[in-house]
Amino acid sequence: MDSPDINKIPPTSSEPAEQEVTNTVPLIKKRRRRKKQFPEMIPSSTALNGLRILRPHNDANNSNSNSKSSSKLMDQIISLQINSTKNRKRRKMADNLAKEVDIEALIALSVGFPVDSLTEEEIEYNVVSYLGGVEQSNYIVVRNHILARWRSNVDTWMTRDHALESIRSEHKGLVNLAYSFLFEYGYINFGLAPNIVRDSSLMRKNEDKGSVVVIGAGLAGLAAARHLLLLGFKVLVLEGRKRAGGRVRTRKMSGDGGDNGVVAAADLGGSVLTGINGNPLGVLARQLGFPLHKVRDICPLYLPDGKAVDSEIDSKVEVSFNRLLDKVCKLREAMLEEVDCVDVSLGSALEAFRRTYDVAEEPQERMLLDWHLANLEYANASLLSDLSMAFWDQDDPYEMGGDHCFIPGGNGRFIRALAENLPIIYDRTVERIQYGSDGVMVFAGGQVFRGDVVLCTVPLGVLKREAIAFVPELPQAKKEAIQRIGFGLLNKVAMLFPYDFWGGGIDTFGHLTEDSSMRGEFFLFYSYSSVSGGPLLVALVAGESAVKFELMSPVDAVGRVLNILKSIFARKGIQVPNPVQVVCTRWGKDRFAYGSYSYVAIGASGDDYDVLAESVGDGRVFFAGEATNRRYPATMHGAFLSGLREAANILRATNKRSSFPMEKINNAREIINVKELNGDPEETDYLDKLFKTPDMSFGSFAVLFDPRSIDLDSAALLRVGFGGKKLGSGSLYLYGLIPRKQVVELSEVEGDGNRVRVLHSRYGVRLVGRKSLGSVGESLISFIKTARESQREN
């Protein structure tokens, strides 16, 4: 291979980022809907398998309505002709109606609803008085009709009256239940169309449902925040990064390409929308007028020397690869029938069958098989040796159909639109979540944020690292699920070139390697020239190579990629230019992600996703994100849908709590030590009680913030303990007034002695006794005391 001129390679940037491959929704063709009246239920003979549907009344006696003049033969003939025409019209109307019901059922199926049963959420919502029977069948038809009607025009807000327009008034109860469920769980009236945004602000419930602190401004957090506001909650979003989007990151790349500068939008994280049918991101694209670019199926493969792979050998190996997967599936079925707790790695099972059936014995065939295995590792962000053979594909039955697509300009366009006008505080890393029957306290960036509920949407990798402390600790079952579910890695090298030398006729091409251990290194290239605004190529690094990649220097990485490209295109007489800008991702080193997306590891199952999604603390702490979505893990739409789901769950928990108030025990503000906080009955110094639960503490320092303001210049009361055990009866406490900003700076100083020196020499703060705080200090204590008492009463 030719060696690149390293001196000519432009500077590269290495940024943490995270890949989450997903889907979005198809553009559903608009169609005129005629009004229809549904007075009674009859069986459907089509795909609903016997569900009873609402349809026009069929008068069985009408065939004799004109037979009173039967004495005259001509009248009888005319009557028969009229009735025959009416019957044909009725049959045609019934057939058309049944066909329309079937279409609506298919639309509901694409969104995730089963054809002839209810979802768990619907059962918990009590949409029917009992399961099974005519009522349930009728509810399903009504639900599907409302859903399909809104999906046919997602730019308009659908009201209850609109839902009732085509259904007779005697079915109003079913309509109200279906409409309420679909609205609260975000299946209708969501999104960013101008009319939807305008009407949602008008339709927001005026009642104060309480306050929610949302941790994370990724797709899950943004979707949840917007829906919670619509449902009547006060919302604050805390984001550790200085931007929204989380693992969805679109970066603008630019450089001097000679006479003309070149620019492009590169998706460093979630990029491909796989399966747009029913996908909520497809709805957003329609509403915002974003075009969808279908990823073309053509993907030529090249050998290590740059020669194109023989198409017949390629087809042969692909067939063999699929047969290996089929044999693994049959083995899995047999094993699970015998023992449901046995699991091995998918990689070991595939390799065992490969050896048994002598698959890919020739060198080129083995390289081709390795390429398919690398592609499988890319799809799961995992080494095959870590994937569960039993449940690695547990989400396949729910996969959304449709084309794989790119959004021109990148998925950051979704993020910007979703984050607009939301109350987001950036650069706030959450360290602790404290919760109890009276609410939650979120400690982030030296501040304490209080709310009724907290929604945690951080990636699974952050939970695995225990980067956030939960007080009390999470239930053991949830902690075990967090550890069982895998969280894998995918990295990218985004390269902006001065011009498109690879041609615009394809969107992907692949490269084979002789070393099986390196099969995932730059094995697949995506061409973004048609959607990024410039000549952009992205090389993927998957499997074991994705882990090793994070130890590789960006210069070495770019050199290897250029060697591959030169080997391929030199054979075609094409000179490969040096890129004008390169970005290498490092998602594994990103402290706000620690990886890319989840997978089912050995010993895990889909049940673990459900456990991770469960709320804790009697409806105080909720969880969202792709790793909480059993049906759509590792996808952008899975994250988005989980946010809508948890917004609805928070509403249900809040309504339940208001109907059945719980006894206030284990309060969030008292959780550190309830007995100590209650104190001795003879204790008279209330300030000691307040400092039992400080807003911030480090070393011998404790701080109470002014509850009236979160401004960094607002005052805080500082207490410093001296003496400790040497005094025999506890510490001697001195106090001082200090701005919040200086508290944060002080917390980063190592050692109490150094902190005291900083207080005096840098800040000029004089520590005094309790009685020497003065009027300003006493006033601050009074406000803190009043706020604490008010919180307990509420």
Side-chain angles (χ1 to χ4, degrees):
M1 292 185 180
D2 296 334
S3 298
D5 186 349
I6 299 299
N7 295 322
K8 293 182 180 180
I9 295 178
T12 62
S13 60
S14 176
E15 297 193 358
E18 168 148 324
Q19 172 69 18
E20 179 186 61
V21 179
T22 43
N23 324 14
T24 171
V25 187
L27 296 174
I28 300 176
K29 186 177 180 181
K30 291 185 179 180
R31 54 191 172 93
R32 289 183 175 272
R33 291 189 58 85
R34 57 179 174 79
K35 286 188 177 182
K36 57 181 182 293
Q37 299 297 319
F38 293 140
E40 76 178 20
M41 316 290 186
I42 67 165
S44 167
S45 60
T46 52
L48 291 182
N49 296 324
L51 291 185
R52 295 171 64 81
I53 65 170
L54 302 155
R55 58 160 279 182
H57 183 67
N58 183 6
D59 188 353
N61 295 322
N62 199 43
S63 60
N64 297 321
S65 60
N66 294 323
S67 60
K68 293 182 179 179
S69 303
S70 56
S71 57
K72 295 184 179 180
L73 180 61
M74 186 58 68
D75 288 344
Q76 291 176 348
I77 294 174
I78 292 174
S79 177
L80 288 173
Q81 291 174 336
I82 291 174
N83 288 330
S84 177
T85 301
K86 288 182 178 180
N87 288 334
R88 284 196 298 272
K89 289 182 178 179
R90 291 192 188 100
R91 284 194 298 271
K92 185 176 181 180
M93 183 183 298
D95 290 342
N96 289 339
L97 184 56
K99 184 177 180 180
E100 189 166 322
V101 169
D102 292 341
I103 293 173
E104 292 173 352
L106 290 175
I107 293 174
L109 185 65
S110 73
V111 176
F113 287 100
V115 172
D116 55 0
S117 60
L118 303 178
T119 63
E120 290 184 11
E121 289 84 3
E122 286 176 304
I123 294 172
E124 293 176 357
Y125 202 86
N126 294 322
V127 294
V128 294
S129 54
Y130 61 92
L131 297 180
V134 174
E135 182 188 23
Q136 175 176 304
S137 299
N138 292 337
Y139 164 81
I140 290 173
V141 175
V142 170
R143 176 203 67 198
N144 294 351
H145 172 66
I146 295 173
L147 180 64
R149 185 171 183 184
W150 185 73
R151 283 282 177 139
S152 70
N153 185 6
V154 295
D155 293 332
T156 303
W157 186 274
M158 186 176 191
T159 66
R160 291 180 188 272
D161 289 340
H162 293 152
L164 280 165
E165 282 178 353
S166 54
I167 301 176
R168 290 285 290 268
S169 59
E170 55 259 41
H171 308 299
K172 184 176 181 179
L174 286 176
V175 173
N176 283 333
L177 281 168
Y179 180 91
S180 295
F181 173 80
L182 293 172
F183 170 70
E184 290 180 12
Y185 275 84
Y187 288 105
I188 61 173
N189 295 336
F190 71 87
L192 299 166
N195 290 337
I196 294 292
V197 173
R198 181 199 65 204
D199 291 345
S200 64
S201 62
L202 298 175
M203 297 297 293
R204 284 179 184 170
K205 299 181 179 180
N206 295 323
E207 67 266 27
D208 183 6
K209 287 290 185 180
S211 57
V212 182
V213 180
V214 177
I215 302 175
L219 277 171
L222 296 176
R226 297 190 75 90
H227 200 47
L228 285 165
L229 287 170
L230 176 59
L231 295 175
F233 289 89
K234 297 176 182 177
V235 177
L236 177 66
V237 183
L238 300 179
E239 170 55 51
R241 306 178 192 270
K242 296 181 180 180
R243 62 170 179 84
R247 288 169 281 168
V248 177
R249 170 91 190 275
T250 302
R251 173 167 171 171
K252 181 180 179 181
M253 299 178 65
S254 61
D256 183 6
D259 296 335
N260 300 311
V262 289
V263 295
D267 274 324
L268 303 180
S271 55
V272 183
L273 311 178
T274 56
I276 59 174
N277 292 343
N279 193 307
L281 298 183
V283 172
L284 298 188
R286 293 167 61 194
Q287 293 174 332
L288 295 169
F290 295 170
L292 295 174
H293 173 80
K294 176 185 176 182
V295 180
R296 286 163 285 193
D297 295 332
I298 302 173
C299 182
L301 300 181
Y302 298 93
L303 295 168
D305 62 359
K307 184 179 180 181
V309 171
D310 182 88
S311 59
E312 291 186 5
I313 299 177
D314 185 10
S315 298
K316 173 186 174 183
V317 173
E318 185 173 2
V319 170
S320 298
F321 170 69
N322 288 324
R323 285 177 179 171
L324 288 179
L325 286 177
D326 290 340
K327 292 184 182 300
V328 170
C329 289
K330 292 179 180 178
L331 172 64
R332 173 174 62 189
E333 292 172 3
M335 289 176 61
L336 292 179
E337 285 179 3
E338 297 295 330
V339 184
D340 61 0
C341 60
V342 174
D343 199 2
V344 297
S345 76
L346 177 63
S348 61
L350 286 171
E351 177 60 17
F353 280 116
R354 187 197 70 79
R355 291 195 304 265
T356 300
Y357 293 97
D358 298 326
V359 174
E361 290 292 303
E362 297 298 324
Q364 186 174 155
E365 291 180 355
R366 184 56 196 265
M367 286 189 289
L368 276 166
L369 180 62
D370 279 338
W371 188 90
H372 286 288
L373 296 176
N375 198 38
L376 194 58
E377 291 179 324
Y378 155 48
N380 291 277
S382 169
L383 280 69
L384 295 184
S385 58
D386 294 333
L387 271 178
S388 163
M389 184 196 73
F391 301 109
W392 70 277
D393 56 350
Q394 61 86 33
D395 58 316
D396 274 7
Y398 314 107
E399 184 176 345
M400 290 184 175
D403 296 325
H404 289 37
C405 295
F406 292 136
I407 292 291
N411 295 311
R413 300 175 70 188
F414 285 137
I415 301 301
R416 288 191 294 272
L418 288 168
E420 187 175 359
N421 297 324
L422 282 182
I424 306 174
I425 302 180
Y426 296 101
D427 201 17
R428 290 294 187 277
T429 303
V430 172
E431 300 99 14
R432 181 171 65 172
I433 298 173
Q434 196 164 298
Y435 59 98
S437 61
D438 60 339
V440 299
M441 298 167 65
V442 179
F443 296 77
Q447 293 179 277
V448 181
F449 301 89
R450 293 180 171 89
D452 297 302
V453 173
V454 64
L455 172 61
C456 182
T457 73
V458 300
L460 176 61
V462 175
L463 295 177
K464 281 180 170 290
R465 293 290 186 103
E466 299 183 351
I468 298 176
F470 290 86
V471 182
E473 289 188 358
L474 294 175
Q476 188 63 29
K478 185 177 288 287
K479 290 195 292 185
E480 291 174 356
I482 289 172
Q483 295 308 317
R484 276 194 299 267
I485 302 175
F487 197 66
L489 190 60
L490 175 72
N491 276 311
K492 299 182 177 183
V493 178
M495 299 164 290
L496 181 64
F497 288 92
Y499 55 87
D500 180 346
F501 62 86
W502 56 91
I506 58 175
D507 293 314
T508 59
F509 60 90
H511 174 257
L512 278 56
T513 181
E514 295 175 347
D515 187 347
S516 294
S517 67
M518 297 176 61
R519 64 193 179 201
E521 184 178 277
F522 316 127
F523 80 102
L524 184 64
F525 290 80
Y526 275 106
S527 167
Y528 283 85
S529 295
S530 58
V531 293
S532 67
L536 181 70
L537 264 184
V538 175
L540 300 187
V541 192
E544 183 179 355
S545 296
V547 179
K548 295 178 179 178
F549 177 79
E550 303 213 342
L551 303 176
M552 189 187 305
S553 74
V555 173
D556 289 343
V558 176
R560 293 193 188 190
V561 174
L562 289 180
N563 279 339
I564 292 172
L565 293 175
K566 288 178 180 180
S567 70
I568 294 173
F569 291 97
R571 287 179 169 273
K572 302 179 181 181
I574 298 173
Q575 183 176 359
V576 176
N578 285 313
V580 296
Q581 188 182 10
V582 177
V583 176
C584 298
T585 67
R586 295 286 190 271
W587 285 111
K589 294 183 177 180
D590 186 335
R591 67 188 181 95
F592 296 111
Y594 293 117
S596 298
Y597 42 93
S598 65
Y599 65 90
V600 185
I602 301 172
S605 71
D607 293 341
D608 290 314
Y609 286 89
D610 291 338
V611 173
L612 186 53
E614 293 174 354
S615 64
V616 301
D618 291 323
R620 293 295 182 180
V621 184
F622 292 78
F623 295 85
E626 56 86 12
T628 71
N629 197 325
R630 178 178 189 157
R631 291 189 171 192
Y632 311 111
T635 64
M636 287 187 290
H637 65 269
F640 186 90
L641 288 171
S642 75
L644 297 179
R645 177 199 71 207
E646 290 310 305
N649 288 336
I650 289 171
L651 176 64
R652 291 184 66 245
T654 300
N655 290 339
K656 180 180 178 181
R657 190 158 43 243
S658 62
S659 301
F660 303 99
M662 293 180 291
E663 184 181 352
K664 289 190 175 182
I665 58 174
N666 293 335
N667 291 347
R669 296 159 185 82
E670 302 174 357
I671 202 68
I672 294 176
N673 192 318
V674 177
K675 184 176 181 180
E676 285 186 10
L677 187 59
N678 290 335
D680 190 290
E682 298 179 1
E683 183 180 5
T684 57
D685 191 347
Y686 193 86
L687 193 56
D688 284 342
K689 292 184 179 181
L690 293 177
F691 273 103
K692 292 291 185 182
T693 54
D695 294 320
M696 191 173 181
S697 64
F698 39 92
S700 299
F701 290 61
V703 184
L704 298 176
F705 292 134
D706 189 337
R708 297 166 295 177
S709 173
I710 62 173
D711 192 280
L712 289 177
D713 292 325
S714 63
L717 179 62
L718 175 70
R719 184 171 84 166
V720 184
F722 295 88
K725 295 181 180 180
K726 295 181 181 180
L727 295 179
S729 60
S731 296
L732 168 68
Y733 295 113
L734 295 180
Y735 302 83
L737 297 177
I738 180 174
R740 280 185 185 234
K741 181 179 180 181
Q742 292 180 356
V743 171
V744 176
E745 295 172 353
L746 197 63
S747 68
E748 297 173 353
V749 176
E750 294 291 335
D752 287 345
N754 292 331
R755 294 185 185 114
V756 172
R757 281 189 286 273
V758 169
L759 271 177
H760 288 285
S761 61
R762 188 186 303 175
Y763 300 151
V765 175
R766 177 169 166 262
L767 296 174
V768 298
R770 165 73 172 81
K771 294 182 180 180
S772 301
L773 281 171
S775 60
V776 176
E778 295 299 333
S779 176
L780 178 58
I781 293 172
S782 177
F783 278 114
I784 295 172
K785 177 180 177 180
T786 301
R788 293 281 183 96
E789 290 176 344
S790 175
Q791 289 164 357
R792 290 196 184 92
E793 291 173 358
N794 295 331

